[in-house]
Amino acid sequence: MNIFPAGLPLSPSPWLGRLAVPLALTTWLLAGPAAAGAEGLSARERISLDADWRFFKEPSPAPDGDLLSYAQVKPWVLATGMELAQGAAAAAKVRPAGNPGGGPVAYAENGFDDSQWRLLNLPHDWGIEGPFKQEYPGDTGKLPWWGSAWYRKHLAVPNTDQGKKIYLDVDGAMSYATVWLNGQCVGGWPYGYASWRVDLTPFLHYNADNVLAIRLDNPARSSRWYPGGGIYRNVWLVKTAPIHVAHWGSYVTTPVVTDQSATVKIQAQVDNDSDLDAKLVVNEEIFELKDNGDRGKSVASLANVALPVAAHQSAPASGELTVKRPKLWDINKPQRYVAVTTVLQAAQMMDQYETPFGIRTIEFTATNGFLLNGKRVPIQGVCDHHDLGALGSAVNTRALERQVEILKEMGCNAIRTSHNPPTPELLDICDRLGLVVMDEAFDCWQAGKNQNDYHLLYADWHDDDLRMLVRRDRNHPCVILWSSGNEVPDQGRPIGITLAKEHAALIHSEDPTRPVTAAVSDYNAAFSGFQNTFDAFGWNYKPGNYAQFRERNPALPLFGSETASCISSRGVYFFPVGNNKAGGRGDFQMSSYDLYAPGWATPPDTEFTGQDKNPFVAGEFVWTGFDYLGEPTPYNADVSNLLNFFDPAEKAKAQQELDALGKIPCPSRSSYFGIIDLAGFPKDRYYIYQARWRPDFPMAHILPHWTWPDRVGQVTPVHVYTSGDSAELFLNGKSLGRKTKGQFEYRLRWDDVVYQPGTLKVVAYKNGRQWATDVMKTTGPAAKLTLAADRAKITADGRDLSYVTVTVADHDGLLVPRSMNHIKFSVSGPGEIVATDNGDATSFEPFQAPEHNAFNGLALVIVRAKTDQPGTIKLTAESDGLAPETITIKSSR
Ligand code: GAL
């Protein structure tokens, strides 16, 4: 298909290049902008560009992963990112003359009539709109996320902006983005998880209509999970004076930290994009940063540092300040500061740039794990992919914040951004809420895992993509590890060592203060020399080999970069409870006894044992915190695949079962790995982690549920997760015995319980004292719906969300465990239903529908407040035969 349909005549604007300056600029510099007096405003503005885009998805044939069009735009796209490239690479970043395709590109031309295109706001993910189809690959969620599409936006730029630099900052677009402004190709970026900037200045029309056109080309067979498709992160218009702090141009480190004082080093790069040499003055000031992002009190300042910067050059401005009695950033008390860099010329403010940061020390040790501010903090982490369940990959800050809150409640203190750079908002949230982050770059290097994955980009882009990651994220106190990759196939090749060394050197050239690591799955790569290219070694799924690692690598810090991969469906239990590695059956669910995992993986308990036997291990990142779209192991393709997940001892039996099933194609569209399901409802596993990770929080959790009319008189094992050390179980008041956790035991098991309806109660003890209880009751039939909103008050900004949990309950309000009732939702007032879900990995129900089946008693409705319309939102849930319920959510400015 020709991506460049013939169109209107070429716009006459010539390419001016970074070094060329519009005439008007000189005047502006001499006269100064009217508003920028000595105490005037910073010339910098950062404006959300998310609203009102026109969208057109090109009709796409079968997902064949055609990248032809990238070949056409590549020379223009490669010229992007000059501020990141070094030396010869930077010099090579020159935009070719003319435009890709040789002629005008119709969809990029100003005169093109886009009124028939769909109007929408970013962030946007076209894939999540579905429909799910059985024939689409399960590994990427059975959703149509591939293909090419255009986004267009009209922009008015006033005359008063003449002389300014005007940039488009894209936090992330999936993928192979190319940007045109007023018909001229400006640049782009292929890696869908990168953030990037293009300079719009040379092509702008002042006091006139401007048209931004962005084309994405998302190749099929480019991902092992659901990537989404579209401009799925936020987009900004940034305006600065020609003299300004560079893109991601400030770097704050704290080389000396004591109780009494901290040395804060601020290194800012100032660009002079004007025609005149400039004698500048730089001021630095540090303020405490409040939770709401406002500046608190000023704690240090440094004024009047002279900085001459020649025309069209950059210069570093560096200053060291002392903060007395610093309030450290810690996971329990994440105090932050903000460094404010002010650049002045002849007493006029040219730029003011804010860099939030934290004062803390980090250290990975070989003997004592990870130290934060000198104290050991066990890494209690999870890996997560970027999708937000029913919202797809379209970024929403509240959706992310909710995820982090749910994780924190479990005792999680760390997130690994598997396997790519996260959206910037996630790091802001972790800074604010006190979680540490392993910030990851890639899922492969030179050798790929998929026909069209990053290995195609590696040669041209890995340098810029790594620098982008580090420069963008290096001021976040939450970031404690740079990961250059996950299970990269190169780990087992001789070239792997060379590449890993090169990445580490590059990362350290941008940030020497944090260790470089990777998530390594290859056993041999821990002994081949590959391990020595890292400052801390991340090993995936090797709890049984930690001692061996230490013996042969005595000085290398070690942590479990990916652990467990236990699989379960919320509220599902298979009997008899076996110890086979995976289980699995024809309804495509997984048992929640938390004993099942694929061949390479383990139940949580096995990993805990590995760590407790080897306390030098810094901790773990569990695969995964939340279920995600795609990779529905063990139901990836058809059930014959299941055999690979059974214990060899169980294989013969499993083979018989599978033969009986036939070759049924699996309908699953999302993972079973999550501790928390796709809708955000905790599975039982949540509580085995909470028991371990919050030892001082009194809790006990019984599984399974206790409504089994079909199991009266049958053995129905009961497991209890508790932060206590022992517990007594009672069925209908009768004690079934008290059990104590042995060494390396993390759950209490009553394996011989014979099911009788009634009340199962556990009383947990810690150090001989009663500690916590839990009760599981046999329920009556489903009688009503109950609704509970995670937030009853939200902001009327068109983005804020309330997550409403819908429970199918009996007369007493108890969740009816296996209910799957179909529920309809309606909303009145200034809100809308943006998505519904139930956490069922096999459901093909559209996420956008105002109706959903419950899955094992629960469903979710995500309600969004409308922009600037404060008021009362009412959500009603109805289902045949059940009493309906309405809930009220207040939306205010
Ligand atoms: C790992 C891999 C993850 C995920 C996981 C499932 O090997 O790094 O991306 O696929 O397996 O267990």
Side-chain angles (χ1 to χ4, degrees):
M1 182 183 26
N2 177 14
I3 64 154
F4 302 126
L8 300 162
L10 261 180
S11 148
S13 314
W15 165 256
L16 294 169
R18 181 169 181 246
L19 302 186
V21 179
L23 257 187
L25 171 63
T26 325
T27 330
W28 186 88
L29 273 180
L30 295 175
E39 291 151 15
L41 298 170
S42 160
R44 178 176 292 267
E45 285 174 82
R46 189 166 183 260
I47 304 158
S48 169
L49 218 58
D50 286 345
D52 299 335
W53 288 75
R54 292 280 176 181
F55 170 71
F56 171 63
K57 179 93 192 330
E58 294 185 308
S60 63
D64 56 1
D66 160 32
L67 274 172
L68 204 65
S69 45
Y70 179 58
Q72 285 176 279
V73 295
K74 189 173 167 182
W76 283 261
V77 173
L78 273 178
T80 310
M82 189 181 192
E83 71 276 22
L84 295 170
Q86 309 284 299
K93 284 194 175 283
V94 177
R95 181 194 186 270
N99 271 307
V105 175
Y107 295 160
E109 291 294 303
N110 290 31
F112 175 78
D113 178 9
D114 58 19
S115 59
Q116 297 308 305
W117 288 14
R118 178 170 154 202
L119 185 64
L120 51 74
N121 295 337
L122 307 179
H124 171 239
D125 169 12
W126 71 65
I128 200 65
E129 297 168 4
F132 290 106
K133 281 194 183 164
Q134 176 61 24
E135 65 264 33
Y136 294 159
D139 269 356
T140 55
K142 294 205 178 281
L143 286 165
W145 50 269
W146 53 83
S148 50
W150 286 85
Y151 292 82
R152 278 171 60 98
K153 180 172 172 65
H154 291 257
L155 264 185
V157 180
N159 252 340
T160 47
D161 278 351
Q162 291 221 31
K164 290 184 184 173
K165 296 292 290 183
I166 300 193
Y167 303 102
L168 174 72
D169 280 9
V170 176
D171 287 349
M174 190 66 72
S175 59
Y176 287 85
T178 314
V179 181
W180 283 261
L181 178 67
N182 298 329
Q184 300 297 303
C185 184
V186 184
W189 206 278
Y191 189 29
Y193 296 104
S195 300
W196 44 276
R197 157 175 287 189
V198 289
D199 184 0
L200 301 181
T201 322
F203 306 105
L204 280 169
H205 300 162
Y206 298 93
N207 256 13
D209 185 36
N210 291 271
V211 174
L212 255 181
I214 301 181
R215 181 177 192 270
L216 304 184
D217 193 354
N218 211 13
R221 302 198 191 116
S222 54
S223 185
R224 295 189 301 114
W225 56 88
Y226 174 77
I231 306 179
Y232 71 106
R233 292 184 184 165
N234 292 302
V235 171
W236 308 90
L237 195 69
V238 174
K239 302 181 182 180
T240 71
I243 292 170
H244 57 265
V245 175
H247 189 210
W248 299 317
S250 98
Y251 178 36
V252 179
T253 54
T254 53
V256 183
V257 180
T258 68
D259 288 349
Q260 287 315 304
S261 75
T263 306
V264 178
K265 190 170 173 192
I266 306 171
Q267 292 164 267
Q269 186 194 315
V270 178
D271 289 350
N272 177 0
D273 281 339
S274 80
D275 274 346
L276 303 174
D277 295 350
K279 285 189 183 146
L280 305 177
V281 164
V282 177
N283 295 338
E284 302 285 5
E285 187 160 7
I286 298 174
F287 298 85
E288 288 184 352
L289 187 59
K290 296 184 182 168
D291 265 4
N292 64 4
D294 288 351
R295 292 180 196 172
K297 77 171 191 248
S298 168
V299 294
S301 62
L302 183 69
N304 292 328
V305 180
L307 185 75
V309 192
H312 306 296
Q313 300 294 321
S314 301
S318 182
E320 282 197 359
L321 290 79
T322 302
V323 175
K324 299 239 169 68
R325 286 176 298 285
K327 296 182 180 166
L328 300 188
W329 185 91
D330 205 80
I331 52 169
N332 299 320
K333 227 174 166 218
Q335 172 70 48
R336 290 173 302 157
Y337 293 89
V338 59
V340 179
T341 303
T342 307
V343 181
L344 298 132
Q345 185 183 38
Q348 287 186 355
M349 187 193 285
M350 294 290 111
D351 196 4
Q352 189 161 84
Y353 192 90
E354 294 197 340
T355 312
F357 70 100
I359 300 175
R360 91 286 186 268
T361 63
I362 55 166
E363 189 184 354
F364 274 82
T365 72
T367 50
N368 194 27
F370 168 64
L371 309 182
L372 179 61
N373 299 322
K375 280 193 230 102
R376 180 163 189 171
V377 172
I379 294 178
Q380 302 171 171
V382 297
C383 306
D384 268 329
H385 277 314
H386 68 308
D387 77 62
L388 293 166
L391 301 178
S393 58
V395 165
N396 178 286
T397 307
R398 173 55 204 162
L400 283 162
E401 184 184 61
R402 167 186 180 252
Q403 287 199 330
V404 176
E405 285 170 0
I406 294 170
L407 291 171
K408 225 175 124 74
E409 179 62 24
M410 176 171 67
C412 170
N413 64 16
I415 293 176
R416 170 176 172 223
T417 68
S418 37
H419 303 299
N420 43 259
T423 192
E425 291 81 6
L426 178 67
L427 299 182
D428 294 337
I429 292 167
C430 291
D431 280 350
R432 188 160 50 78
L433 298 183
L435 285 88
V436 295
V437 171
M438 170 171 166
D439 202 348
E440 191 150 275
F442 308 122
D443 195 39
C444 67
W445 299 340
Q446 258 185 17
K449 299 177 177 175
N450 259 301
Q451 181 188 320
N452 288 321
D453 66 16
Y454 193 80
H455 79 281
L456 297 182
L457 291 170
Y458 179 83
D460 287 333
W461 286 95
H462 77 274
D463 194 306
D464 285 359
D465 281 327
L466 278 173
R467 279 186 212 283
M468 161 264 134
L469 173 74
V470 180
R471 264 192 227 174
R472 190 193 69 172
D473 295 348
R474 65 189 170 179
N475 295 313
H476 286 279
C478 66
V479 175
I480 59 160
L481 284 165
W482 300 118
S483 166
S484 58
N486 170 61
E487 299 190 350
V488 296
D490 293 315
Q491 66 187 331
R493 306 161 72 213
I495 185 76
I497 297 181
T498 312
L499 298 179
K501 272 190 194 154
E502 186 212 306
H503 302 147
L506 187 158
I507 292 170
H508 280 155
S509 74
E510 298 286 346
D511 175 37
T513 74
R514 292 173 178 86
V516 173
T517 191
V520 179
S521 54
D522 188 7
Y523 174 82
N524 294 320
F527 309 107
S528 64
F530 189 67
Q531 80 278 18
N532 294 323
T533 64
F534 303 108
D535 306 307
F537 193 71
W539 222 5
N540 290 4
Y541 307 106
K542 302 287 182 295
N545 301 115
Y546 289 156
Q548 207 175 4
F549 179 90
R550 177 51 66 244
E551 217 177 281
R552 294 175 63 186
N553 295 295
L556 189 56
L558 176 69
F559 65 99
S561 35
E562 201 173 300
T563 61
S565 266
C566 186
I567 37 185
S568 60
S569 308
R570 175 180 51 75
V572 171
Y573 307 91
F574 299 172
F575 301 97
V577 176
N579 280 323
N580 56 313
K581 285 281 276 181
R585 57 178 199 197
D587 67 354
F588 310 104
Q589 301 296 351
M590 279 304 313
S591 177
S592 260
Y593 273 93
D594 299 334
L595 294 168
Y596 309 105
W600 60 89
T602 69
D605 320 52
T606 313
E607 177 60 38
F608 296 160
T609 307
Q611 290 177 43
D612 288 348
K613 286 187 175 166
N614 302 283
F616 56 85
V617 176
E620 65 173 314
F621 290 91
V622 180
W623 191 266
T624 50
F626 283 77
D627 271 331
Y628 50 95
L629 292 164
E631 212 180 24
T633 306
Y635 302 111
N636 304 57
D638 66 66
V639 286
S640 59
N641 175 51
L642 276 178
L643 205 55
N644 300 325
F645 299 99
F646 279 86
D647 249 356
E650 305 262 340
K651 265 199 171 166
K653 192 170 133 250
Q655 182 72 66
Q656 275 173 14
E657 283 174 18
L658 292 174
D659 287 348
L661 280 173
K663 213 173 153 74
I664 306 177
C666 298
S668 307
R669 46 77 167 157
S670 51
S671 77
Y672 301 81
F673 291 117
I675 296 170
I676 301 150
D677 77 13
L678 197 76
F681 302 133
K683 302 179 188 171
D684 291 304
R685 236 184 306 149
Y686 188 87
Y687 301 98
I688 197 170
Y689 287 103
Q690 190 176 60
R692 177 175 172 86
W693 288 351
R694 295 183 65 186
D696 299 330
F697 176 63
M699 55 77 58
H701 175 83
I702 295 176
L703 69 99
H705 65 75
W706 212 242
T707 304
W708 299 104
D710 43 339
R711 296 193 62 75
V712 176
Q714 294 185 53
V715 171
T716 306
V718 174
H719 293 195
V720 169
Y721 302 145
T722 174
S723 51
D725 46 34
S726 64
E728 186 167 7
L729 187 69
F730 300 88
L731 178 54
N732 295 329
K734 182 170 169 272
S735 174
L736 300 182
R738 181 160 164 175
K739 307 223 179 226
T740 302
K741 285 183 197 163
Q743 199 187 16
F744 309 126
E745 273 178 14
Y746 306 93
R747 63 175 85 197
L748 296 168
R749 297 173 66 145
W750 287 260
D751 284 331
D752 305 323
V753 181
V754 175
Y755 178 79
Q756 293 297 334
T759 300
L760 198 57
K761 179 176 179 185
V762 71
V763 180
Y765 296 85
K766 189 158 183 150
N767 300 324
R769 294 219 174 124
Q770 191 172 320
W771 177 248
T773 62
D774 191 26
V775 173
M776 199 62 88
K777 286 187 177 164
T778 305
T779 70
K784 60 184 177 186
L785 296 170
T786 65
L787 301 181
D790 69 338
R791 284 153 83 239
K793 284 187 188 152
I794 54 177
T795 309
D797 62 0
R799 295 174 188 258
D800 204 6
L801 303 173
S802 183
Y803 279 76
V804 180
T805 299
V806 185
T807 304
V808 179
D810 70 2
H811 269 298
D812 297 330
L814 294 175
L815 180 149
V816 180
R818 284 182 285 176
S819 46
M820 309 287 182
N821 306 53
H822 188 72
I823 309 168
K824 291 193 170 146
F825 307 105
S826 53
V827 77
S828 68
E832 51 202 337
I833 294 171
V834 281
T836 54
D837 189 14
N838 61 13
D840 175 2
T842 70
S843 170
F844 276 22
E845 292 174 273
F847 290 127
Q848 297 76 23
E851 54 190 284
H852 224 99
N853 292 334
F855 177 61
N856 291 329
L858 294 176
L860 173 77
V861 185
I862 308 175
V863 176
R864 182 170 60 201
K866 288 191 178 161
T867 312
D868 286 336
Q869 294 180 43
T872 302
I873 304 166
K874 284 190 173 174
L875 175 77
T876 299
E878 293 165 286
S879 180
D880 284 352
L882 304 181
E885 183 160 82
T886 298
I887 194 170
T888 298
I889 300 160
K890 277 242 174 312
S891 160
S892 54
R893 272 187 234 272

